[in-house]
Amino acid sequence: MVKRRFGAILAGMMKLLRTLAVLMTLVFAGAAPAFAQAREQWDGVARIVTIADLEGDYEKFTDMLRTAGLIDAQNNWTGGQTHLVQLGDIPDRGPNSRMIMDLLMRLEPQAQRAGGHVHALIGNHEAMNIEGDLRYTHPGEFAAFATSRSERVRNQYYQRYTRALRRSPPATGAPVFDSVYRQQWNQEHPLGWVEHREAWGPNGRYGRWIAQHNAVIRINDTLFLHAGLGPSFAAAPRAGMNQAVSAALRDRPLETYPDIVDNQQGPLWYRGLSQNAEATEAANLDNVLRAQGVARVIVGHTKVTSTVLPRFNGRVLIADIAVPRGHSDPHAFLIMENGAWVTIHRGQRIPVIASTPQETCAYLRQIVALDNGTGPVAQLEQTQCAANAAAAN
């Protein structure tokens, strides 16, 4: 009964909740800052390390960084002139996003002093957290912000919240603010929730930091972004897309791409390069490569299998890793050294040679061997490569 009662008024309250979140950020942080546009392309880079969706897994991240030789035992930068590209989706589903972001913030200036670079690209889950969409937020994320003052902070926010509801009730009417309501509200706003929202707001420590980054970059002949580019964005200028994403996250959408943060063809959401049949998606990919002046695209966002997966004869590399229940995480990621790409899978280097279906199958078989012949990659290799063999005959 209680669940139905609160569910009935949820839709009418969403707009008010967004307004309250924005107001709370302004109270805590003052006027919105101006940002300088980040650089979005680099040439002549000899070494690139690419890591996709982390989803709050700090230990996995630091293990990958050490495997790549980017940090020492004290988590200081040792990567020299390497460019580290993190493809977005740091938060949600895991508890330690704050630790990951703090580490990236620490590594950024260290890498620059060494002649390298840390690129923390914006993913859809960064945008969701800034905008207050917390459907996938792990309880540990809120706990990471809780302090001895959190009870008082939450009480103060509750008072502001209920006053705002009384002034501007939803279409379904204001709820009854009794003990049952407060108990439910506390469950939905655990200790640390208010501080989390402050920090993730457009003017908070992490919201501001994220909005200063890019969503799409080019390094050498490779395009890096969280999701992909659909037909509506295939030829969009990178600088324009980055400016639009940053502005939208600061609640100042641009006329050029006003819905870029939520657009399903935009750089934070498009899944066609990872999911669509290659025959039907090839034309869009050709347009992306031609318009962006690159040879390949590297994306995260979409979990297809439990390693880095080449598609379109290696012109697309999917770096988001799916780990089904009961299987160990291979900590797979990408390294480019002097023009050659390799996948690091369970600490082993597998050259990404995938310019033909046969080469792609040979690559997958090497991964399967590291997985002892079992798991999602083995299943993919059996189905995909059997189909390729049948088509060749």
Side-chain angles (χ1 to χ4, degrees), residues 34-92:
F35 292 121
Q37 185 59 40
R39 180 181 172 185
E40 51 82 25
Q41 61 184 30
W42 291 259
D43 291 293
V45 177
R47 188 170 190 262
I48 306 169
V49 174
T50 305
I51 295 174
D53 308 43
L54 293 168
E55 298 176 345
D57 194 336
Y58 175 79
E59 289 74 17
K60 173 180 175 177
F61 184 43
T62 54
D63 177 74
M64 296 161 91
L65 292 179
R66 291 194 181 95
T67 299
L70 296 187
I71 60 171
D72 60 19
Q74 288 72 45
N75 292 346
N76 292 309
W77 180 261
T78 56
Q81 296 181 342
T82 300
H83 281 229
L84 167 64
V85 182
Q86 200 287 312
L87 293 171
D89 275 13
I90 292 170
D92 291 339

